Amino acid sequence: MEPAKGKLGVMCVGLGAVTTTFMTGVLMTRKGLAKPVGSMTQYDKIRVGRGKDKKYLHYGEIVPLTDLKDIVFGAWDVYPANAYESAINAEVLKEKDINPVADELKAIKPIAAAFDRNYAKRLDGDNVKDCKTRWDMVEALREDIRRFKAENACDRIVVIWAASTEIYVPVDENVHGTLAALEAAMKADDREHIAPSMCYAYAALCEGAPFIMGAPNTTVDIPAMWELAEKTKMPIAGKDFKTGQTLVKSGFAPIIGTRCLGLSGWFSTNILGNRDALYA
């Protein structure tokens, strides 16, 4: 593998609680003010070899990984608050944990988002692009990626969706079945079948940037996006990594069941207003 030289631009869709906590953790860690607890690549070791030849190495000693000091953060968001303001508002971290990297966070100002309120009705920010069609949305996002890469002298870019979950978009073979059909739908401004997240994914892959989906959106679950990934030789990954309550329920429900434990009730909610409740 080639060495991971130069700067890596990490462009996050959404500059809310998840993204600002992630950014703060990375910035604190590279200043030596925190440990990268929970990070497989930074904290864990993996066994290499067997018997007397076995040894335990960090991931970065096995495959080329970008050093944390070479990461440059960027973001899109419907609200204009910078990363520091957003982190304070989110209240995931305490102010004392944010202030040591306040200057770095304040410098991260969100680019206007490609947004359709029909896909996330509880969001009403005004830091939004004025795009006539979905194809215009794609072109604007591609320009954002190129500009960010040039302004920050990045060698590589990766795009991560850490924004709110969009409404469910069923897979339609007539639209999502091939890359040609997807592009035609974007140019025809098919807002029913083309979610904004699909525009982000398409733009990222076309600009040579891997795309990671952090919500349960069907964005990268369609044949057209697989075709584009193959064409551009760019990876796509991720499925719902940012929704903590889903992870907790998925993990604890089997534990409760297999141990025949009684459960009198279960209730959860999120910022979208989605609620799950179970009462015995």
Side-chain angles (χ1 to χ4, degrees), residues 143-252:
E143 177 58 30
D144 288 342
I145 294 171
R146 289 193 291 266
R147 185 186 307 111
F148 181 86
K149 186 176 183 179
E151 290 178 352
N152 293 281
C154 294
D155 291 70
R156 302 171 311 286
I157 298 289
V158 60
V159 176
I160 301 174
W161 179 278
S164 297
T165 301
E166 295 173 328
I167 61 171
Y168 178 65
V169 180
V171 177
D172 186 324
E173 285 297 325
N174 294 322
V175 176
H176 306 127
T178 67
L179 179 57
L182 182 73
E183 291 173 338
M186 288 176 170
K187 292 175 181 178
D189 197 27
D190 184 345
R191 302 189 181 198
E192 180 183 352
H193 298 100
I194 307 297
S197 61
M198 294 179 184
C199 295
Y200 280 99
Y202 183 97
L205 296 178
C206 287
E207 290 302 319
F211 182 83
I212 303 171
M213 171 49 66
N217 304 349
T218 52
T219 309
V220 294
D221 299 339
I222 56 176
M225 210 62 72
W226 308 337
E227 185 181 340
L228 181 58
E230 289 282 353
K231 179 181 178 180
T232 58
K233 305 301 179 185
M234 286 293 112
I236 50 178
K239 189 67 176 177
D240 208 10
F241 68 73
K242 65 174 279 290
T243 46
Q245 64 163 294
T246 306
L247 177 63
V248 170
K249 287 184 289 187
S250 298
F252 276 105

Side-chain angles (χ1 to χ4, degrees), residues 252-280:
F252 276 105
I255 293 174
I256 292 169
T258 56
R259 284 159 178 75
C260 298
L261 299 175
L263 182 67
S264 59
W266 186 300
F267 177 83
S268 61
T269 186
N270 62 22
I271 62 171
L272 299 178
N274 299 326
R275 293 180 175 86
D276 291 329
L278 172 67
Y279 300 104

Side-chain angles (χ1 to χ4, degrees), residues 89-147:
N89 293 336
E91 297 184 331
V92 174
L93 301 173
K94 295 180 180 179
E95 191 169 348
K96 67 180 181 64
D97 298 319
I98 303 171
N99 283 337
V101 290
D103 290 342
E104 293 95 320
L105 290 171
K106 288 177 181 177
I108 303 171
K109 300 175 182 178
I111 304 167
F115 180 67
D116 183 339
R117 196 164 185 270
N118 291 319
Y119 281 81
K121 295 184 183 298
R122 293 176 66 88
L123 300 180
D124 59 0
D126 58 5
N127 191 42
V128 177
K129 298 184 186 302
D130 182 15
C131 300
K132 294 182 179 179
T133 68
R134 288 294 196 252
W135 190 251
D136 290 339
M137 198 175 272
V138 165
E139 291 296 330
L141 291 169
R142 293 187 66 175
E143 177 58 30
D144 288 342
I145 294 171
R146 289 193 291 266
R147 185 186 307 111

